[in-house]
Amino acid sequence: MAILERITRNIDNRYWNPGPEYFPVRNKYTTGVAGQRFFEELKENGKLMGTTCSKCNITFVPGRLYCERCFARLEEWTDAGTEGTVYSFTLVHKTKSGEIKDPPSVVAAIKIADGLLFHHLGECEVDQIYIGLPVKAVLKTKAERKGGIEDIKYFMPF
């Protein structure tokens, strides 16, 4: 029975598991209008862009179309710079497949303006990382950038 086939007899209502080879999941993720602008600026100009709410005086990074607090439409785009501070961080000891990483990698929440970006930290030792550590983005060369978050190689202390 196909997944979209209509059940007409109750006895036909049973578990269906065709396996991954018969039911491939293929999605296209869209970042929306604001996300597209953020990633295009990152790709073309190496800038981390945010939007500022004039009512709440908040700059969202990455930029958004509406303020989370007052729901005002955000139209003022600003260059938030490539510097921020470590808001939180964690050590990653295993790969996605469960293999041990030696040394472990560091993933951090980087506060830029009033927003957070989650990314890797590099060029630092684990014992040097602390909440509030000033960091800056290290970008790929313009030729290597593809318009995604991986256009940022990592953040490093400065």
Side-chain angles (χ1 to χ4, degrees):
M1 175 181 296
I3 194 165
L4 297 177
E5 189 174 328
R6 187 175 184 175
I7 297 172
T8 56
R9 299 178 325 148
N10 194 24
I11 194 155
D12 292 333
N13 190 12
R14 60 184 178 261
Y15 180 71
W16 179 69
N17 184 6
E21 65 274 6
Y22 297 106
F23 195 58
V25 178
R26 300 188 196 280
N27 295 337
K28 278 208 172 227
Y29 176 73
T30 175
T31 58
V33 175
Q36 181 179 352
R37 169 94 188 255
F38 177 80
F39 288 124
E40 283 178 353
E41 284 289 336
L42 179 59
K43 178 182 176 184
E44 297 301 323
N45 303 314
K47 294 181 180 180
L48 300 177
M49 299 297 288
T51 50
T52 302
C53 178
S54 57
K55 293 179 182 177
C56 299
N57 197 28
I58 296 174
T59 301
F60 295 98
V61 177
R64 298 187 173 102
L65 290 181
Y66 294 93
C67 178
E68 292 178 355
R69 293 191 181 171
C70 70
F71 304 111
R73 178 135 174 108
L74 304 177
E75 297 178 1
E76 181 185 338
W77 284 85
T78 57
D79 181 0
T82 57
E83 298 177 359
T85 58
V86 173
Y87 184 79
S88 181
F89 67 94
T90 189
L91 298 177
V92 181
H93 292 277
K94 292 188 177 184
T95 64
K96 290 179 186 176
S97 60
E99 299 164 3
I100 301 293
K101 292 179 87 168
D102 188 31
S105 61
V106 181
V107 176
I110 310 295
K111 187 167 179 63
I112 299 175
D114 297 309
L116 290 175
L117 282 179
F118 293 85
H119 216 291
H120 295 278
L121 293 184
E123 296 189 38
C124 61
E125 298 297 322
V126 172
D127 58 352
Q128 298 172 330
I129 302 168
Y130 58 91
I131 305 299
L133 175 69
V135 292
K136 64 180 176 181
V138 176
L139 304 176
K140 291 181 178 178
T141 65
K142 186 170 183 177
E144 294 175 312
R145 293 187 215 140
K146 297 180 181 177
I149 196 68
E150 292 173 350
D151 289 349
I152 303 170
K153 287 183 184 180
Y154 51 84
F155 283 82
M156 63 173 272
F158 70 96

